[in-house]
């Protein structure tokens, strides 16, 4: 009997403690007086305000610079238009033009001048421009708090697509007056199917503006059998006295004042070499969203 009474009293005390606990907590809260610091705001539960789904993104790339410049150097600019079907997926049409610089590196010239070696043309092929239709996926995004309640949203994205590249082979002349080098206008090596893979980082600066930093790898396979549409035999004729040229041989692509010299240089560069080219470049762009 005593054990039963003891158990009932214990249960009664526990019940009273549970009932009185909320009231004691409320009384304690009423006695507190403090303000919440801005540093205590929890940003991670705030909703993402920079939504991309259903928006058109126009991007200008004022600078595109080749990174793996062992045999070639490319510096150019580009432009792109992308439609985002959802926040994490979109299609982009990109065009890049290496108008600032597209030439072989000094290493190539040293091999010719000092070692008397003519490197194969395909590994040092130049890309004058290319265009691709690419997919863009953004599987990762986040937020950065940088001033009081202000935040920047960012996303990491991957790209991949197919297109076409316009290529050329550089013709090189030595100027005997000062021992320097004169870089002739490159001879066209034709259009080649190309692919692009890469990734980047997008930071939303405002509702309509964003900054893009990217790395892309342009990949294509080329075989140098013609330059300006002319075979080595036709280039040999141009260097002396042309007699029977095909319609594809574009003699107008050569400088009429130095056509014989340029054709002789082109003949040596149409060497039939082939290569799978990888041109890795860094891109800096600014985007506007509609």
């Amino acid at each position: 009997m005593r054990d039963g009474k003891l158990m009932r009293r214990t249960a009664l005390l526990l019940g009273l403690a549970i009932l009185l606990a909320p009231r004691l907590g409320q009384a304690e809260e009423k006695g507190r007086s403090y303000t919440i610091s801005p540093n205590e705001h929890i940003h991670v539960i705030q909703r993402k305000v920079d939504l991309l789904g259903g928006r058109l993104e126009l991007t200008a790339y004022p600078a595109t610079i080749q990174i793996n410049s062992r045999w070639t150097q490319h510096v150019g600019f580009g432009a792109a238009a992308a439609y985002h079907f959802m926040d994490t997926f979109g299609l982009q049409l990109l065009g890049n033009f290496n108008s600032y610089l597209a030439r072989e590196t000094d290493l190539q010239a040293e091999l010719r001048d000092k070692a008397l070696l003519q490197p194969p043309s395909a590994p040092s092929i130049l890309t004058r421009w290319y265009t691709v239709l690419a997919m863009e996926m953004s599987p990762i995004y986040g937020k950065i708090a940088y001033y009081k309640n202000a935040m920047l949203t960012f996303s990491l994205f991957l790209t991949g697509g197919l297109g076409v590249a316009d290529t050329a082979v550089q013709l090189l002349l030595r100027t005997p007056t000062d021992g320097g080098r004169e870089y002739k206008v490159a001879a066209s090596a034709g259009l080649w199917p190309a692919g692009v893979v890469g990734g980047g980082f997008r930071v939303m600066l405002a509702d309509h503006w964003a900054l893009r930093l990217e790395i892309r790898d342009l990949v294509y396979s080329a075989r140098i059998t013609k330059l300006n549409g002319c075979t080595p035999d036709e280039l040999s004729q141009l260097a002396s006295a042309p007699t029977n040229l095909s319609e594809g041989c574009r003699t107008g692509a050569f400088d009429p004042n130095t056509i014989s010299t340029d054709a002789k240089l082109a003949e040596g560069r149409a060497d039939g070499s082939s290569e799978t080219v990888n041109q890795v470049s860094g891109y800096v762009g600014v985007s506007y969203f509609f």
Side-chain angles (χ1 to χ4, degrees):
M1 295 292 293
R2 292 181 179 178
D3 293 340
K5 291 181 178 180
L6 181 60
M7 292 179 64
R8 286 194 296 272
R9 290 177 181 176
T10 303
L12 181 60
L13 291 174
L14 289 174
L16 290 174
I18 294 173
L19 292 174
L20 292 176
R23 296 183 179 181
L24 292 174
Q26 292 176 1
E28 185 178 355
E29 288 292 334
K30 291 180 180 180
R32 294 180 182 177
S33 177
Y34 65 90
T35 58
I36 298 177
S37 169
N39 295 328
E40 297 181 54
H41 290 171
I42 303 176
H43 295 284
V44 294
I45 64 174
Q46 295 180 1
R47 71 182 184 90
K48 182 183 178 183
V49 295
D50 300 308
L51 302 178
L52 302 181
R55 303 182 72 180
L56 176 66
E57 178 184 9
L58 298 182
T59 306
Y61 298 95
T64 63
I65 304 174
Q66 184 180 357
I67 299 174
N68 61 336
S69 53
R70 181 182 181 185
W71 303 114
T72 59
Q73 296 174 312
H74 292 88
V75 180
F77 65 93
Y83 183 77
H84 298 272
F85 295 95
M86 57 186 68
D87 287 355
T88 58
F89 177 78
L91 285 179
Q92 182 190 66
L93 180 63
L94 169 69
N96 189 78
F97 308 88
N98 294 311
S99 302
Y100 302 148
L101 178 66
R103 74 178 194 184
E104 297 177 354
T105 60
D106 291 337
L107 175 61
Q108 297 275 54
E110 290 181 6
L111 290 174
R112 295 188 186 95
D113 296 347
K114 298 180 180 179
L116 301 179
L117 294 175
Q118 173 67 53
S121 298
S124 57
I125 194 171
L126 304 176
T127 304
R128 295 194 288 195
W129 59 265
Y130 75 86
T131 180
V132 294
L133 180 63
M135 296 185 298
E136 181 177 298
M137 300 184 66
S138 304
I140 301 174
Y141 72 89
K143 310 181 186 74
I144 302 174
Y146 66 96
Y147 180 72
K148 292 184 178 180
N149 293 329
M151 292 195 335
L152 291 176
T153 60
F154 68 90
S155 60
L156 301 177
F157 57 85
L158 302 174
T159 59
L162 298 174
V164 63
D166 180 44
T167 62
V169 171
Q170 181 175 292
L171 305 182
L172 180 66
L173 287 175
R174 272 188 287 179
T175 54
T177 53
D178 57 1
R181 303 182 183 93
E182 178 188 355
Y183 295 94
K184 299 290 292 184
V185 175
S188 172
L191 296 174
W192 300 97
V196 170
V197 293
F201 184 79
R202 180 197 292 111
V203 179
M204 299 296 298
L205 304 177
D207 184 52
H208 294 281
W209 294 94
L211 176 67
R212 294 173 64 108
L213 302 175
E214 306 173 43
I215 293 179
R216 296 177 186 261
D217 184 9
L218 176 66
V219 183
Y220 59 88
S221 182
R223 181 178 175 85
I224 312 301
T225 58
K226 295 181 180 181
L227 291 179
N228 287 340
C230 304
T231 64
D233 290 340
E234 292 172 327
L235 292 170
S236 178
Q237 294 181 39
L238 286 175
S240 55
T243 56
N244 186 19
L245 302 178
S246 65
E247 295 181 359
C249 183
R250 302 187 302 276
T251 57
F254 292 97
D255 186 347
N257 298 320
T258 59
I259 185 171
S260 60
T261 303
D262 293 351
K264 186 64 177 178
L265 291 170
E267 181 185 357
R269 307 241 44 198
D271 53 11
S273 60
S274 60
E275 182 77 5
T276 299
V277 181
N278 291 81
Q279 291 178 359
V280 182
S281 301
Y283 296 71
V284 179
V286 178
S287 296
Y288 183 82
F289 288 86
F290 291 91

